Amino acid sequence: MADQLSSDVSSCNFHLRNIGKVRKFLTTDACKSAVQSLVVPRMDYCCSLLSGAPGYQVGRLQIVQDNAALIISRVNSRDHISPVLAALHWLPCDIRIKFRILTYVHKCLHESSPIYRQEFISIYQPRHTLRSSSDESILTAQPPNKRVCGQAFCHAAPPLWNKLPSFLRGSSSVASFKSSVKPFYFKQIYV
C-alpha cells in the first residue's frame, strides 16, 4: 500500500509542478479545472483503502491537496489553508475517505453496486423485537480477519454508516445522498 501511495503522491506532485509553472497564464477557473482533471482523480484513486491506514499516510495526500489549493488560490504558503479549502468546497482527505466509503455503502444498500461488494454489507437482524429493529439501515461488521483487520471495507463501513444520522441514511438516490452528506461533514469541519 505504501508503494501505491508513493506512486500516487509523486504523480500528483508532478502534475502540480507543471500546473504551477503555467499558473500565471491561467485564470482561476482554468487552473481549478486543470487540478480537478489531473490531480484530484489520482488522489481519489483507491483512497477508500486508506480507511485504517496510519495518519502519516493520509497526511501525505493532505499535503498534496493543500498544495493544489495553494496553486489554485495563489495565497502565500504560510497562510492558513482551511479557509482556502472551505472556499474551494473541498473536504480534508480523512473526511474524503469516509465520504467515499459511505457512498459505496449507500450504493450497496440500494443495489447499485457490484454484487461482490454487496456481500460485504449485512443489515442487523435482531432475534427479538427491539426498538432498533425498525431501523433497517444499521449495519454489522463481518467476522474479523487478522490480515486486513480494520482497513477492509467490511470492517470500516459499518461504524461509519451507523454514526450517520438517520435522515442522511434514508436518502433514496446516490445524488441526494452525496448532496446531503457532504454539507453535513462540511459544517462539522469548517463552521
Side-chain angles (χ1 to χ4, degrees):
M1 186 65 197
D3 294 337
Q4 177 66 37
L5 182 64
S6 294
S7 173
D8 289 344
V9 167
S10 65
S11 175
C12 289
N13 286 330
F14 169 78
H15 289 294
L16 283 175
R17 276 191 303 274
N18 288 338
I19 293 170
K21 289 177 184 176
V22 296
R23 175 61 180 107
K24 59 185 172 187
F25 303 112
L26 298 174
T27 63
T28 303
D29 290 335
C31 183
K32 187 175 180 180
S33 296
V35 168
Q36 287 180 336
S37 63
L38 294 172
V39 178
V40 174
R42 285 174 175 79
M43 284 176 45
D44 286 342
Y45 177 70
C46 294
C47 75
S48 60
L49 294 176
L50 293 172
S51 65
Y56 73 90
Q57 288 183 343
V58 178
R60 292 177 66 193
L61 276 181
Q62 186 63 50
I63 290 170
V64 169
Q65 186 182 33
D66 294 348
N67 289 338
L70 289 175
I71 289 173
I72 291 172
S73 63
R74 289 184 166 174
V75 296
N76 191 344
S77 62
R78 294 184 202 139
D79 292 343
H80 196 49
I81 197 67
S82 292
V84 177
L85 291 175
L88 291 171
H89 220 272
W90 286 358
L91 293 171
C93 286
D94 57 338
I95 304 298
R96 215 176 161 98
I97 291 167
K98 292 178 184 178
F99 179 74
R100 294 285 283 223
I101 291 173
L102 290 170
T103 304
Y104 290 147
V105 172
H106 187 271
K107 288 180 180 180
C108 288
L109 292 175
H110 292 83
E111 298 178 356
S112 61
S113 179
I115 293 174
Y116 70 87
R117 195 179 292 153
Q118 291 177 15
E119 292 173 353
F120 291 125
I121 299 296
S122 59
I123 297 176
Y124 175 64
Q125 300 290 335
R127 293 179 186 221
H128 304 288
T129 305
L130 302 172
R131 283 184 288 169
S132 63
S133 61
S134 64
D135 190 4
E136 297 176 356
S137 58
I138 294 181
L139 304 179
T140 58
Q142 301 291 331
N145 182 349
K146 293 178 182 175
R147 288 182 53 207
V148 289
C149 200
Q151 289 185 347
F153 175 73
C154 61
H155 297 288
L160 289 175
W161 184 259
N162 293 336
K163 286 179 187 174
L164 275 181
S166 59
F167 69 92
L168 292 175
R169 292 185 293 200
S171 299
S172 58
S173 69
V174 176
S176 67
F177 177 75
K178 285 182 175 181
S179 65
S180 59
V181 171
K182 187 173 180 180
F184 172 74
Y185 279 127
F186 196 79
K187 287 177 187 174
Q188 282 185 342
I189 296 166
Y190 296 119
V191 177

